[in-house]
């Protein structure tokens, strides 16, 4: 008897928490473009089996202009920055061997 494909579980269901913003500082070694950023992650095993992706973090706005600038200057900034964003991920399932991060940028 054949198995119904809809009953197969390819990505194990695990509790995953969204990355939480720790802070944003100057001093990044790689130039970061201005824009809005979010992070997510998934866990993988040595055999390559991945989990589903976590929920996206809250959006973080990065700009090369000072926070006290006019709104139009702040939102429209396309300059490079030396900002560094730090996110924290907690309660990681230790049955997995690796964590893969994804960072999304909206311009």
């Amino acid at each position: 008897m054949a198995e119904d494909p809809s009953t197969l579980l390819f990505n194990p269901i695990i509790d995953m928490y969204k990355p939480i913003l720790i802070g944003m500082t100057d001093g990044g070694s790689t130039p970061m473009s201005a824009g809005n950023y979010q992070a997510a992650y998934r866990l993988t095993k040595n055999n390559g089996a991945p989990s589903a992706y976590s929920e996206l973090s809250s959006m973080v706005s990065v700009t090369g202009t000072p926070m006290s600038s006019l709104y139009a200057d702040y939102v429209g900034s396309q300059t490079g920055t030396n900002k560094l964003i730090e996110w924290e991920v907690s309660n990681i399932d230790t049955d997995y061997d690796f964590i893969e991060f994804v960072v999304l940028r909206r311009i």
Side-chain angles (χ1 to χ4, degrees), residues 24-41:
M24 183 169 53
T25 59
D26 289 325
S29 59
T30 303
M32 176 183 241
S33 297
N36 295 301
Y37 290 84
Q38 288 179 285
Y41 67 95

Side-chain angles (χ1 to χ4, degrees), residues 16-31:
M16 296 181 70
Y17 299 89
K18 73 178 186 177
I20 302 297
L21 177 69
I22 296 297
M24 183 169 53
T25 59
D26 289 325
S29 59
T30 303

Side-chain angles (χ1 to χ4, degrees), residues 37-99:
Y37 290 84
Q38 288 179 285
Y41 67 95
R42 73 177 179 178
L43 305 172
T44 58
K45 294 188 177 222
N46 281 329
N47 67 4
S51 69
Y53 282 98
S54 70
E55 180 181 351
L56 287 170
S57 69
S58 298
M59 196 165 293
V60 179
S61 296
V62 175
T63 182
T65 57
M67 296 293 281
S68 60
S69 295
L70 296 174
Y71 177 76
D73 292 338
Y74 180 76
V75 172
S77 173
Q78 293 298 313
T79 62
T81 74
N82 69 338
K83 301 278 197 275
L84 175 70
I85 302 173
E86 292 182 71
W87 283 285
E88 178 181 73
V89 176
S90 59
N91 298 320
I92 296 172
D93 186 338
T94 56
D95 288 338
Y96 287 84
D97 303 301
F98 302 100
I99 185 168

